């Protein structure tokens, strides 16, 4: 069964309504996007590209259309060959209608400033990237990235604290956060209970091998509850959206009679 129930192809407008962010945000809202094989692999030959299909790529690009900022871990950015988001990679008319900047910046999580100043994230971009790093990162690397045009933000001592990182994005007016991975960033967001929506595509492949899962990080105090928000399918792939379950303030903390 598909939810919402419908006949025929889903339109671009309907897709936008499904995947858009809430109105009137006053804090960062994090939507995480991943693709996985049906046997749980997050990559094929080290990259996620081999898992996607046309529908998954469309939803991936829609995430960039709708967001204020793309959040990604340095490892994923390096392996996947990231550059800055280009105007031709997002739908300008949609972003203008939603009152968004022409292109979103890329915010890179890197505890040791492992991004080089010569990276395409800095040399091939319309807007400067945001480097979310730590006080423990070598000062000369932070300075080199800043000199190359990056907005360098210290968001933690030894590791990047995602609450501080998101606060830095909030201070810059970047509330619609599109997290594109990788597993370590996702795991850290889960641990801090900062995931509002998970969009995950299950590709009809058995990848085998030793690929990791879509999240990898500290064990949270308890699993985070999510509820199914929508189900779509295309060529045997399933595109699922899960929303964070928010505790009822009336019943939270009360005990059964």
């Amino acid at each position: 069964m598909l939810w919402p129930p419908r006949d025929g192809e889903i339109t671009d407008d309907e897709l936008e309504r499904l995947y858009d962010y809430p109105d009137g945000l006053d804090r960062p809202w994090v939507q995480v996007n991943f693709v996985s094989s049906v046997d749980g692999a997050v990559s094929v030959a080290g990259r996620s590209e081999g898992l996607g299909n046309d529908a998954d790529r469309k939803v991936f690009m829609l995430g960039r259309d709708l967001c204020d900022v793309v959040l990604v871990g340095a490892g994923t950015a390096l392996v996947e060959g990231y550059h800055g988001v280009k105007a031709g990679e997002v739908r300008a008319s949609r972003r203008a209608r939603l009152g968004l900047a022409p292109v979103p910046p890329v915010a890179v999580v890197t505890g040791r400033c492992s991004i080089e100043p010569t990276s395409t994230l800095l040399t091939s971009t319309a807007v400067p990237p945001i480097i979310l790093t730590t006080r423990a990162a070598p000062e000369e690397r932070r300075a080199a990235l800043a000199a190359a045009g990056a907005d360098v933000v210290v968001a933690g001592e030894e590791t990047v604290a995602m609450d501080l990182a998101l606060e830095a994005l909030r201070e810059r007016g970047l509330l619609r956060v599109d997290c594109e991975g990788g597993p370590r960033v996702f795991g850290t967001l889960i641990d801090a209970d900062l995931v509002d929506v998970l969009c995950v595509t299950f590709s009809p492949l058995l990848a085998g091998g030793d690929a990791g899962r879509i999240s990898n990080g500290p064990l949270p105090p308890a699993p985070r509850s999510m509820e199914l928000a929508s189900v779509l399918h295309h060529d045997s792939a399933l595109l699922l959206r899960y929303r964070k379950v928010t505790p009822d303030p009336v019943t939270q903390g009360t005990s059964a009679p």
Side-chain angles (χ1 to χ4, degrees), residues 1 32 34-35 51 68 78 105 133 168 179 227 230 250:
M1 177 179 177
V32 178
F34 267 99
V35 61
L51 294 170
D68 287 323
L78 292 170
T133 189
C179 178
E227 61 183 2
S230 67
V250 175

Side-chain angles (χ1 to χ4, degrees), residues 29-120:
W29 181 275
V30 179
Q31 294 197 155
V32 178
N33 289 279
F34 267 99
V35 61
S36 168
S37 68
V38 290
D39 62 330
V42 73
S43 62
V44 174
R47 301 184 66 180
S48 63
E49 185 178 6
L51 294 170
N53 62 17
D54 289 344
D56 174 66
R57 283 186 283 273
K58 186 170 187 175
V59 168
F60 177 87
M61 296 311 299
L62 178 62
R64 291 188 165 195
D65 282 356
L66 299 174
C67 74
D68 287 323
V69 60
V70 173
L71 179 68
V72 66
T76 296
L78 292 170
V79 169
E80 303 288 346
Y82 268 58
H83 50 66
V85 178
K86 294 182 170 61
E89 295 175 328
V90 292
R91 187 172 297 184
S93 59
R94 175 179 280 147
R95 292 186 64 82
R97 172 168 50 81
L98 295 172
L100 303 176
V103 294
V106 177
V108 185
V109 179
T110 170
R112 293 296 181 269
C113 277
S114 58
I115 301 298
E116 295 293 336
T118 55
S119 164
T120 49

Side-chain angles (χ1 to χ4, degrees), residues 108-114 130-138 141-142 145 151-161 164-165:
V108 185
V109 179
T110 170
R112 293 296 181 269
C113 277
S114 58
I130 302 168
I131 304 297
L132 301 167
T133 189
T134 65
R135 204 169 303 281
R141 295 192 67 85
R142 285 187 271 149
L145 287 170
D151 180 5
V152 179
V153 177
V154 173
E157 295 299 323
E158 295 291 332
T159 60
V160 175
L164 298 180

Side-chain angles (χ1 to χ4, degrees), residues 160-184:
V160 175
M162 295 311 300
D163 57 340
L164 298 180
L166 293 183
E167 175 60 20
L169 298 182
R170 186 196 66 78
E171 291 171 354
R172 289 156 175 77
L174 307 174
L175 302 183
R176 300 158 71 102
V177 182
D178 176 29
C179 178
E180 296 180 355
R184 186 70 185 177

